[in-house]
mmCIF file of all heavy atoms in Angstrom:
data_model
loop_
_atom_site.group_PDB
_atom_site.id
_atom_site.type_symbol
_atom_site.label_atom_id
_atom_site.label_comp_id
_atom_site.label_asym_id
_atom_site.label_seq_id
_atom_site.Cartn_x
_atom_site.Cartn_y
_atom_site.Cartn_z
ATOM 1 N N MET A 79 -11.460 14.581 4.526
ATOM 2 C CA MET A 79 -12.207 15.575 5.328
ATOM 3 C C MET A 79 -11.449 16.283 6.208
ATOM 4 O O MET A 79 -11.555 17.589 6.369
ATOM 5 C CB MET A 79 -13.378 14.831 6.090
ATOM 6 C CG MET A 79 -14.450 15.584 6.823
ATOM 7 S SD MET A 79 -15.720 14.676 7.714
ATOM 8 C CE MET A 79 -14.740 14.253 9.112
ATOM 9 N N LEU A 80 -10.457 15.689 6.904
ATOM 10 C CA LEU A 80 -9.596 16.338 7.900
ATOM 11 C C LEU A 80 -8.652 17.225 7.279
ATOM 12 O O LEU A 80 -8.403 18.314 7.641
ATOM 13 C CB LEU A 80 -8.962 15.321 8.704
ATOM 14 C CG LEU A 80 -9.768 14.663 9.792
ATOM 15 C CD1 LEU A 80 -9.036 13.487 10.535
ATOM 16 C CD2 LEU A 80 -10.304 15.555 10.819
ATOM 17 N N GLU A 81 -8.103 16.795 6.033
ATOM 18 C CA GLU A 81 -7.257 17.679 5.290
ATOM 19 C C GLU A 81 -7.939 18.943 4.901
ATOM 20 O O GLU A 81 -7.333 20.023 4.933
ATOM 21 C CB GLU A 81 -6.560 16.979 4.209
ATOM 22 C CG GLU A 81 -5.388 17.760 3.616
ATOM 23 C CD GLU A 81 -4.500 16.919 2.754
ATOM 24 O OE1 GLU A 81 -4.441 15.679 2.922
ATOM 25 O OE2 GLU A 81 -3.808 17.416 1.987
ATOM 26 N N ALA A 82 -9.181 18.795 4.380
ATOM 27 C CA ALA A 82 -9.883 19.800 3.777
ATOM 28 C C ALA A 82 -10.194 20.979 4.841
ATOM 29 O O ALA A 82 -10.204 22.092 4.738
ATOM 30 C CB ALA A 82 -11.198 19.463 3.203
ATOM 31 N N ASN A 83 -10.568 20.346 6.162
ATOM 32 C CA ASN A 83 -11.038 21.274 7.181
ATOM 33 C C ASN A 83 -9.917 21.756 8.103
ATOM 34 O O ASN A 83 -10.017 22.928 8.680
ATOM 35 C CB ASN A 83 -11.997 20.612 7.953
ATOM 36 C CG ASN A 83 -13.364 20.395 7.265
ATOM 37 O OD1 ASN A 83 -13.815 21.346 6.754
ATOM 38 N ND2 ASN A 83 -13.846 19.162 7.212
ATOM 39 N N ILE A 84 -8.918 21.006 8.247
ATOM 40 C CA ILE A 84 -7.892 21.355 9.211
ATOM 41 C C ILE A 84 -6.545 21.662 8.451
ATOM 42 O O ILE A 84 -5.727 22.616 8.825
ATOM 43 C CB ILE A 84 -7.614 20.212 10.266
ATOM 44 C CG1 ILE A 84 -8.973 20.031 11.074
ATOM 45 C CG2 ILE A 84 -6.585 20.671 11.240
ATOM 46 C CD1 ILE A 84 -8.945 18.917 12.017
ATOM 47 N N GLY A 85 -6.302 20.876 7.385
ATOM 48 C CA GLY A 85 -5.096 21.135 6.671
ATOM 49 C C GLY A 85 -4.067 19.832 7.046
ATOM 50 O O GLY A 85 -4.541 19.001 7.433
ATOM 51 N N LYS A 86 -2.783 20.138 6.813
ATOM 52 C CA LYS A 86 -1.785 19.063 6.880
ATOM 53 C C LYS A 86 -1.786 18.533 8.362
ATOM 54 O O LYS A 86 -1.710 17.449 8.688
ATOM 55 C CB LYS A 86 -0.494 19.467 6.561
ATOM 56 C CG LYS A 86 -0.237 19.550 5.011
ATOM 57 C CD LYS A 86 0.015 18.203 4.443
ATOM 58 C CE LYS A 86 -0.287 18.287 2.921
ATOM 59 N NZ LYS A 86 -0.795 16.998 2.325
ATOM 60 N N ALA A 87 -2.095 19.389 9.316
ATOM 61 C CA ALA A 87 -2.067 19.049 10.809
ATOM 62 C C ALA A 87 -3.291 18.191 11.109
ATOM 63 O O ALA A 87 -3.127 17.446 12.186
ATOM 64 C CB ALA A 87 -2.179 20.400 11.598
ATOM 65 N N GLY A 88 -4.201 18.113 10.195
ATOM 66 C CA GLY A 88 -5.353 17.216 10.520
ATOM 67 C C GLY A 88 -5.107 15.679 10.372
ATOM 68 O O GLY A 88 -5.953 14.904 10.965
ATOM 69 N N ARG A 89 -4.059 15.354 9.744
ATOM 70 C CA ARG A 89 -3.544 14.040 9.633
ATOM 71 C C ARG A 89 -3.550 13.294 10.938
ATOM 72 O O ARG A 89 -3.989 12.058 10.999
ATOM 73 C CB ARG A 89 -2.090 13.989 9.033
ATOM 74 C CG ARG A 89 -1.898 13.613 7.670
ATOM 75 C CD ARG A 89 -1.912 12.668 7.076
ATOM 76 N NE ARG A 89 -2.728 12.099 6.012
ATOM 77 C CZ ARG A 89 -2.093 11.404 4.931
ATOM 78 N NH1 ARG A 89 -0.766 11.398 4.811
ATOM 79 N NH2 ARG A 89 -2.760 10.851 4.039
ATOM 80 N N LYS A 90 -3.173 13.843 12.084
ATOM 81 C CA LYS A 90 -2.881 13.163 13.344
ATOM 82 C C LYS A 90 -4.129 12.829 13.909
ATOM 83 O O LYS A 90 -4.267 12.131 14.926
ATOM 84 C CB LYS A 90 -1.940 13.886 14.183
ATOM 85 C CG LYS A 90 -2.272 15.292 14.528
ATOM 86 C CD LYS A 90 -1.296 15.938 15.467
ATOM 87 C CE LYS A 90 -1.468 17.395 15.787
ATOM 88 N NZ LYS A 90 -1.130 18.254 14.534
ATOM 89 N N TYR A 91 -5.264 13.482 13.544
ATOM 90 C CA TYR A 91 -6.584 13.208 14.168
ATOM 91 C C TYR A 91 -7.314 12.146 13.318
ATOM 92 O O TYR A 91 -8.478 11.707 13.805
ATOM 93 C CB TYR A 91 -7.448 14.402 14.235
ATOM 94 C CG TYR A 91 -6.711 15.507 14.970
ATOM 95 C CD1 TYR A 91 -6.199 16.619 14.152
ATOM 96 C CD2 TYR A 91 -6.626 15.496 16.339
ATOM 97 C CE1 TYR A 91 -5.405 17.612 14.918
ATOM 98 C CE2 TYR A 91 -5.865 16.419 17.041
ATOM 99 C CZ TYR A 91 -5.407 17.599 16.313
ATOM 100 O OH TYR A 91 -4.702 18.471 16.984
ATOM 101 N N VAL A 92 -6.683 11.589 12.380
ATOM 102 C CA VAL A 92 -7.432 10.453 11.590
ATOM 103 C C VAL A 92 -7.828 9.331 12.528
ATOM 104 O O VAL A 92 -9.036 8.906 12.375
ATOM 105 C CB VAL A 92 -6.581 9.975 10.328
ATOM 106 C CG1 VAL A 92 -7.292 8.911 9.715
ATOM 107 C CG2 VAL A 92 -6.535 11.248 9.296
ATOM 108 N N PRO A 93 -7.060 8.693 13.211
ATOM 109 C CA PRO A 93 -7.435 7.577 14.135
ATOM 110 C C PRO A 93 -8.607 7.920 14.845
ATOM 111 O O PRO A 93 -9.592 7.102 14.947
ATOM 112 C CB PRO A 93 -6.225 7.375 14.970
ATOM 113 C CG PRO A 93 -5.072 7.816 14.181
ATOM 114 C CD PRO A 93 -5.603 8.983 13.483
ATOM 115 N N TYR A 94 -8.700 9.102 15.620
ATOM 116 C CA TYR A 94 -9.795 9.447 16.513
ATOM 117 C C TYR A 94 -11.085 9.627 15.651
ATOM 118 O O TYR A 94 -12.044 9.083 15.878
ATOM 119 C CB TYR A 94 -9.482 10.663 17.352
ATOM 120 C CG TYR A 94 -10.657 11.066 18.174
ATOM 121 C CD1 TYR A 94 -11.079 10.327 19.136
ATOM 122 C CD2 TYR A 94 -11.408 12.205 17.787
ATOM 123 C CE1 TYR A 94 -12.297 10.740 19.857
ATOM 124 C CE2 TYR A 94 -12.453 12.529 18.444
ATOM 125 C CZ TYR A 94 -12.936 11.874 19.520
ATOM 126 O OH TYR A 94 -13.984 12.207 20.209
ATOM 127 N N VAL A 95 -10.971 10.529 14.590
ATOM 128 C CA VAL A 95 -12.166 10.734 13.826
ATOM 129 C C VAL A 95 -12.720 9.564 13.081
ATOM 130 O O VAL A 95 -13.909 9.398 13.013
ATOM 131 C CB VAL A 95 -11.934 12.049 12.920
ATOM 132 C CG1 VAL A 95 -13.203 12.269 11.995
ATOM 133 C CG2 VAL A 95 -11.487 13.210 13.697
ATOM 134 N N PHE A 96 -11.784 8.752 12.523
ATOM 135 C CA PHE A 96 -12.217 7.533 11.998
ATOM 136 C C PHE A 96 -12.992 6.631 12.923
ATOM 137 O O PHE A 96 -14.015 6.101 12.568
ATOM 138 C CB PHE A 96 -10.917 6.835 11.403
ATOM 139 C CG PHE A 96 -11.250 5.531 10.613
ATOM 140 C CD1 PHE A 96 -11.738 5.550 9.380
ATOM 141 C CD2 PHE A 96 -11.210 4.411 11.290
ATOM 142 C CE1 PHE A 96 -12.097 4.264 8.722
ATOM 143 C CE2 PHE A 96 -11.582 3.174 10.741
ATOM 144 C CZ PHE A 96 -11.889 3.144 9.350
ATOM 145 N N THR A 97 -12.420 6.427 13.989
ATOM 146 C CA THR A 97 -12.932 5.638 15.164
ATOM 147 C C THR A 97 -14.424 6.255 15.400
ATOM 148 O O THR A 97 -15.402 5.567 15.428
ATOM 149 C CB THR A 97 -12.183 5.587 16.497
ATOM 150 O OG1 THR A 97 -10.836 5.301 16.023
ATOM 151 C CG2 THR A 97 -12.685 4.525 17.320
ATOM 152 N N LEU A 98 -14.353 7.480 15.721
ATOM 153 C CA LEU A 98 -15.752 8.128 16.072
ATOM 154 C C LEU A 98 -16.719 7.945 14.927
ATOM 155 O O LEU A 98 -17.874 7.536 15.124
ATOM 156 C CB LEU A 98 -15.463 9.655 16.231
ATOM 157 C CG LEU A 98 -16.437 10.579 16.843
ATOM 158 C CD1 LEU A 98 -16.645 10.102 18.227
ATOM 159 C CD2 LEU A 98 -15.986 12.017 16.887
ATOM 160 N N PHE A 99 -16.339 8.141 13.605
ATOM 161 C CA PHE A 99 -17.206 8.174 12.530
ATOM 162 C C PHE A 99 -17.763 6.721 12.346
ATOM 163 O O PHE A 99 -18.917 6.427 12.318
ATOM 164 C CB PHE A 99 -16.497 8.683 11.230
ATOM 165 C CG PHE A 99 -17.376 8.540 10.034
ATOM 166 C CD1 PHE A 99 -18.527 9.234 9.690
ATOM 167 C CD2 PHE A 99 -17.021 7.445 9.063
ATOM 168 C CE1 PHE A 99 -19.289 9.037 8.666
ATOM 169 C CE2 PHE A 99 -17.711 7.362 7.950
ATOM 170 C CZ PHE A 99 -18.909 8.028 7.774
ATOM 171 N N MET A 100 -16.855 5.784 12.321
ATOM 172 C CA MET A 100 -17.196 4.363 11.997
ATOM 173 C C MET A 100 -17.991 3.816 13.227
ATOM 174 O O MET A 100 -18.936 3.029 12.965
ATOM 175 C CB MET A 100 -15.885 3.517 11.686
ATOM 176 C CG MET A 100 -15.204 3.951 10.517
ATOM 177 S SD MET A 100 -16.150 3.864 9.083
ATOM 178 C CE MET A 100 -15.915 2.191 8.523
ATOM 179 N N PHE A 101 -17.653 4.204 14.475
ATOM 180 C CA PHE A 101 -18.314 3.601 15.625
ATOM 181 C C PHE A 101 -19.758 4.109 15.483
ATOM 182 O O PHE A 101 -20.763 3.309 15.803
ATOM 183 C CB PHE A 101 -17.592 4.133 16.878
ATOM 184 C CG PHE A 101 -17.879 3.271 18.106
ATOM 185 C CD1 PHE A 101 -17.480 1.948 18.225
ATOM 186 C CD2 PHE A 101 -18.735 3.833 19.030
ATOM 187 C CE1 PHE A 101 -17.735 1.287 19.416
ATOM 188 C CE2 PHE A 101 -18.957 3.053 20.306
ATOM 189 C CZ PHE A 101 -18.540 1.794 20.362
ATOM 190 N N ILE A 102 -19.954 5.288 15.235
ATOM 191 C CA ILE A 102 -21.321 5.830 15.269
ATOM 192 C C ILE A 102 -22.011 5.272 14.061
ATOM 193 O O ILE A 102 -23.230 4.882 14.242
ATOM 194 C CB ILE A 102 -21.348 7.477 15.225
ATOM 195 C CG1 ILE A 102 -20.757 7.940 16.465
ATOM 196 C CG2 ILE A 102 -22.758 7.930 15.009
ATOM 197 C CD1 ILE A 102 -20.493 9.517 16.477
ATOM 198 N N LEU A 103 -21.451 5.287 12.874
ATOM 199 C CA LEU A 103 -22.002 4.675 11.715
ATOM 200 C C LEU A 103 -22.572 3.273 11.928
ATOM 201 O O LEU A 103 -23.708 2.911 11.646
ATOM 202 C CB LEU A 103 -21.163 4.907 10.480
ATOM 203 C CG LEU A 103 -21.685 4.356 9.323
ATOM 204 C CD1 LEU A 103 -22.750 5.171 8.694
ATOM 205 C CD2 LEU A 103 -20.508 4.241 8.180
ATOM 206 N N PHE A 104 -21.564 2.429 12.440
ATOM 207 C CA PHE A 104 -21.903 1.143 12.626
ATOM 208 C C PHE A 104 -23.004 0.918 13.646
ATOM 209 O O PHE A 104 -23.930 0.087 13.525
ATOM 210 C CB PHE A 104 -20.696 0.248 12.840
ATOM 211 C CG PHE A 104 -19.990 -0.247 11.600
ATOM 212 C CD1 PHE A 104 -19.533 0.655 10.680
ATOM 213 C CD2 PHE A 104 -19.712 -1.510 11.393
ATOM 214 C CE1 PHE A 104 -18.883 0.366 9.556
ATOM 215 C CE2 PHE A 104 -19.106 -1.968 10.225
ATOM 216 C CZ PHE A 104 -18.662 -1.016 9.310
#
Side-chain angles (χ1 to χ4, degrees):
Chain A
M79 187 177 82
L80 288 175
E81 189 165 337
N83 289 308
I84 304 177
K86 284 284 166 215
R89 254 278 119 144
K90 56 180 174 287
Y91 303 106
V92 168
Y94 174 69
V95 178
F96 179 83
T97 309
L98 196 61
F99 173 73
M100 294 305 269
F101 198 72
I102 294 171
L103 178 68
F104 273 55

